[in-house]
Structures are given as C-alpha cells and as structure tokens.
Amino acid sequence: MAASLLRSVFPPIHRTTVTQISRRFHPLAGQSLKEIQDQWATPPSANLVPIVIEQTIRDTDSTLIVAQLLFLEAEETSKPIHLYINSPGGSVTAGLAIYDTMQYVSSPIHTYSLGMAASMGSLLLAAGERGKRHCLPNASIMIHHDEFNTEPSGGASGQASDIAIHAREILRVRRLLTGIYQKHCSKEGESEAEGLARFGMRLWH
C-alpha cells in the first residue's frame, strides 16, 4: 500500500538498478585512470566533485551548499552538478535557500537519493532536472512534512494575535511547498489544480 502510494505521488523519480549504478552513480564511473587525471587537471573538472547533503538540513549546512553550487556554476555553466541526498529533512528556510539556488544556477543539476530523502530532503531531490533524478534501490523517500503537523497552533505561544500570525505563516509555507512539488512532479496530462490537490492531500493529511 505504501509503495503504491509513493509511486502515485512521486512518478518522476527513477529507481536505479544495481547494474546501472556501477555505470552512472558517479560521473567519473567507467573512465580510465588517465581520463580521470586529465579531467582533474583542468579547472572545469571541479563540476565533477559531488555535493552531498547528509543528516538534518540546518542554516549552516545550507550556506555551505549554496556557496558550492554558486562556485561550480561559475566554473563551468554547461556541465552538470551532482547532488547526493541522504537527509531526514530539517529547517524549511534552510532547505528553501538551497532550492532557490538550485533554480538560480544555469548548470543542470542531477539529484540522487541514497539512504533517505525525507521532508525537505525529498523536495531537494524533486528539484533536480527532470529525467536526471535518481533513487538508489534501497533508498527511502518521504514527502510528509512533520514540522507543520504538531499542534493546531504549530507550537506558537503568546497573544492570540501572535498565534494568528504564526498560523497564517504556516499556511503560506504549506501552499508554497505544495506548489513546488506540483511544479517538479506533475503527471503528464494533469492540470495544476489536480496536481496541487494530489500533493496537498499527501503532504498534510
């Protein structure tokens, strides 16, 4: 049941077989030692260095990843950037900083899920270039965002006006994240409204 539900919600992710991994998991795979050394001898080869997101996504992590993305894009805009994700999620604002940078750079970004890509981790996985998003055979993907499903007030305290402001912000971010998933993971022939309803139901219920 869980597997079929995931497939219905996240169709664009490609689950790579073990045989394919040995050929494509890293951009240097399948090349001779001399070819690898020749590529590393020139500055554009910096784009072959993968960016790894692991553990909880925090502000300090996002700052470093944003800097890496901007550096690699400045080195060679035509070469892809490879982003490997093993994260249970984390700060929404930190994750959105990485997401916005991924959309800003002109280099194509290939994303890979290994271990786990949950919450903001799954959003960054989905933000990769369509057709270049990969999931390893034993990786897990979860799009549910628990940070917005605690108390009715979202954990806010204080005056009623403060709680109302916090509640409106939660709803705004929910709509924003739902729209991002719909944008990157829409099904062929599916309208925007249908996509928003599909992800809204899976993300917040």
Side-chain angles (χ1 to χ4, degrees):
M1 177 64 180
S4 61
L5 179 62
L6 181 59
R7 284 194 295 271
S8 68
V9 176
F10 236 157
I13 302 296
H14 302 295
R15 187 167 291 274
T16 311
T17 64
V18 175
T19 303
Q20 292 171 319
I21 292 172
S22 63
R23 299 173 182 167
R24 304 189 309 175
F25 182 59
H26 191 275
L28 295 179
Q31 299 186 35
S32 67
L33 179 60
K34 185 177 186 308
E35 290 174 328
I36 295 174
Q37 290 172 335
D38 290 343
Q39 292 187 50
W40 279 98
T42 57
S45 64
N47 288 63
L48 296 176
V49 180
I51 299 176
V52 179
I53 299 177
E54 60 177 350
Q55 299 183 352
T56 303
I57 301 171
R58 301 165 297 181
D59 291 331
T60 51
D61 303 318
S62 70
T63 300
L64 176 60
I65 293 166
V66 165
Q68 290 175 313
L69 288 169
L70 294 174
F71 171 77
L72 293 176
E73 196 257 352
E75 285 289 305
E76 179 59 66
T77 58
S78 63
K79 288 193 174 182
I81 297 173
H82 299 268
L83 183 62
Y84 295 82
I85 302 169
N86 181 16
S87 171
S91 167
V92 172
T93 53
L96 289 176
I98 299 172
Y99 169 80
D100 285 340
T101 307
M102 292 172 66
Q103 304 309 300
Y104 170 77
V105 299
S106 53
S107 301
I109 297 182
H110 300 192
T111 54
Y112 305 80
S113 171
L114 57 157
M116 171 184 286
S119 192
M120 286 305 298
S122 67
L123 186 139
L124 296 178
L125 174 66
E129 184 176 350
R130 188 177 289 269
K132 301 298 181 181
R133 295 171 286 196
H134 308 276
C135 177
L136 271 66
N138 297 306
S140 300
I141 301 172
M142 185 182 72
I143 66 173
H144 196 66
H145 285 255
D146 289 328
E147 56 268 34
F148 294 119
N149 291 278
T150 52
E151 305 172 27
S153 63
S157 60
Q159 298 181 359
S161 58
D162 295 331
I163 295 176
I165 292 171
H166 191 77
R168 286 197 297 269
E169 177 63 11
I170 288 178
L171 294 176
R172 183 192 71 83
V173 175
R174 282 186 175 186
R175 289 193 296 268
L176 175 63
L177 298 181
T178 303
I180 291 175
Y181 279 107
Q182 186 278 327
K183 174 184 176 181
H184 294 283
C185 301
S186 59
K187 292 182 177 180
E188 185 177 354
E190 181 182 56
S191 69
E192 180 178 350
E194 291 171 339
L196 291 173
R198 178 166 60 93
F199 277 100
M201 180 175 63
R202 305 306 183 200
L203 282 166
W204 315 117
H205 296 284

